[in-house]
Amino acid sequence: QKEVEQNSGPLSVPEGAIASLNCTYSDRVSQSFFWYRQYSGKSPELIMSIYSNGDKEDGRFTAQLNKASQYVSLLIRDSQPSDSATYLCAVNSKGGGSQGNLIFGKGTKLSVKP
Amino acid sequence: DADVTQTPRNRITKTGKRIMLECSQTKGHDRMYWYRQDPGLGLRLIYYSFDVKDINKGEISDGYSVSRQAQAKFSLSLESAIPNQTALYFCATSLDDNEQFFGPGTRLTVL
């Protein structure tokens, strides 16, 4: 069973701090990795995708991927109260009958305190 | 303009009733998905379709059925609703194996 693991939180950080969200995955052949943000009662919104080892930056967000350690993270710099949401990690997992569908973690709830 | 729409947005029904949730998209994607989300359980895949002639069961298909009427339309049916099908239901689309784009969701309550 392919799995994507996230700490459920809540992760609480003060406004202006760096929030660090982590995700591990079980399938070594996974090739594509995504971070979604989901506000309470709303739909998941894609905020970052990463396909190769290293860092990818987009504004205040940085995704980090380490395939050898099967680890992907999301850093949010200068955290704002509007960043308070649940962050879902998703991994594309080919093979084993999954047909390349995304496998989602259960999400980490982030709370940014003013 | 919303790229992925779902109707209804909220629905309250009674045990044993048949209901249909509908999803439409204007993104031109071939792949469409139905998920349910429950507190503490995350997103779980119910059914998915890679094109009009392709329907596949997901992780939790029991009690559900789907119909892919066109590239742009994918409907989810609960033949006989039961209370543990109370959840938030999302439709999603994708171009390929990568990013999926979600509709706004349907909040379903089965009494």
Side-chain angles (χ1 to χ4, degrees):
Chain A
Q1 180 76 5
K2 298 178 178 63
E3 294 182 342
V4 176
E5 300 286 344
Q6 296 181 255
N7 187 320
S8 62
L11 173 66
S12 184
V13 301
E15 184 174 357
I18 296 175
S20 178
L21 305 164
N22 304 315
C23 172
T24 59
Y25 59 94
S26 62
D27 188 357
R28 288 191 169 275
V29 300
S30 298
Q31 298 181 4
S32 309
F33 307 86
F34 308 94
W35 283 100
Y36 286 81
R37 177 177 62 200
Q38 186 177 24
Y39 295 112
S40 181
K42 303 296 185 182
S43 60
E45 173 193 10
L46 180 69
I47 56 172
M48 289 288 287
S49 57
I50 187 166
Y51 303 96
S52 54
N53 280 329
D55 295 0
K56 178 182 178 182
E57 186 175 320
D58 183 1
R60 295 187 296 112
F61 298 100
T62 299
Q64 300 175 316
L65 175 61
N66 183 325
K67 290 185 178 180
S69 300
Q70 296 175 237
Y71 178 92
V72 59
S73 65
L74 178 70
L75 301 179
I76 306 175
R77 291 182 300 281
D78 188 24
S79 295
Q80 301 297 310
S82 59
D83 294 325
S84 297
T86 296
Y87 290 80
L88 306 177
C89 174
V91 174
N92 174 287
S93 193
K94 294 184 182 292
S98 68
Q99 294 191 274
N101 289 326
L102 294 186
I103 299 179
F104 287 85
K106 294 180 181 179
T108 298
K109 186 172 184 178
L110 172 67
S111 177
V112 181
K113 303 296 186 184
Chain B
D1 288 343
D3 292 322
V4 185
T5 58
Q6 293 183 234
T7 56
R9 296 293 312 279
N10 289 282
R11 179 75 183 269
I12 299 174
T13 191
K14 294 182 178 180
T15 297
K17 295 291 188 181
R18 181 181 189 277
I19 66 164
M20 179 182 290
L21 309 183
E22 298 184 328
C23 177
S24 294
Q25 54 113 347
T26 59
K27 299 183 79 67
H29 291 167
D30 283 329
R31 301 186 182 196
M32 297 186 74
Y33 310 81
W34 276 105
Y35 292 90
R36 66 176 280 177
Q37 189 174 43
D38 301 270
L41 295 179
L43 282 166
R44 293 185 290 167
L45 184 62
I46 305 172
Y47 271 96
Y48 60 101
S49 169
F50 283 179
D51 65 44
V52 175
K53 297 180 181 179
D54 176 77
I55 300 289
N56 303 282
K57 292 182 178 180
E59 179 186 354
I60 53 162
S61 58
D62 287 350
Y64 302 94
S65 63
V66 292
S67 173
R68 184 81 184 268
Q69 300 94 325
Q71 185 206 37
K73 296 185 182 296
F74 193 35
S75 300
L76 176 72
S77 293
L78 286 67
E79 298 301 325
S80 179
I82 56 177
N84 76 0
Q85 291 177 314
T86 293
L88 192 52
Y89 289 83
F90 290 107
C91 172
T93 74
S94 71
L95 183 63
D96 50 27
D97 289 348
N98 296 314
E99 296 94 339
Q100 291 184 13
F101 300 91
F102 286 80
T106 294
R107 185 169 296 280
L108 175 66
T109 302
V110 183
L111 301 176

